[in-house]
Amino acid sequence: FSLPIKKDKVRIPLLGEFRVAQEIYVYYKDEKIPIWAKSKIDINEYGELDGKPINFRCELTDELVVLENFNGLFGTSCKWDFIEKQGVS
């Protein structure tokens, strides 16, 4: 599958804060399955995870679980082996 980056220009007031709700669902056999629910407060790619998830995968039969230590509420059924920090190879 492909999940393209969506870019828009927005004006944020001087005392405002950037925040976007991310909700990702998979439709399979007439069933709507949530796999990702997170607020994004960073405009950078992978900013919500503070880096790129390596070996990222989502199993549709896994339950959505709440993860901590990701700057706010985060629910996902996806998994990854580790997060490659941004700017570090």
Side-chain angles (χ1 to χ4, degrees):
F1 71 92
S2 174
L3 188 59
I5 294 173
K6 180 177 172 147
K7 293 184 178 184
D8 281 327
K9 290 188 179 203
V10 296
R11 296 186 85 179
I12 300 173
L14 183 60
L15 298 176
E17 178 180 63
F18 174 82
R19 185 170 301 266
V20 174
Q22 297 176 319
E23 293 182 349
I24 301 173
Y25 298 90
V26 173
Y27 292 87
Y28 180 72
K29 293 187 177 182
D30 296 325
E31 185 178 356
K32 181 180 178 181
I33 304 166
I35 63 168
W36 186 276
K38 175 79 175 105
S39 287
K40 185 171 178 73
I41 59 174
D42 185 319
I43 64 171
N44 297 312
E45 185 176 16
Y46 307 115
E48 62 275 29
L49 298 177
D50 196 28
K52 181 179 180 179
I54 302 301
N55 195 22
F56 184 84
R57 61 218 178 263
C58 303
E59 173 57 52
L60 299 182
T61 59
D62 287 349
E63 293 290 322
L64 198 73
V65 296
V66 175
L67 301 179
E68 297 184 19
N69 300 325
F70 286 98
N71 297 323
L73 293 175
F74 181 19
T76 187
S77 61
C78 303
K79 296 176 177 62
W80 49 88
D81 293 338
F82 64 95
I83 294 177
E84 184 179 85
K85 297 296 181 185
Q86 293 178 341
V88 178
S89 320

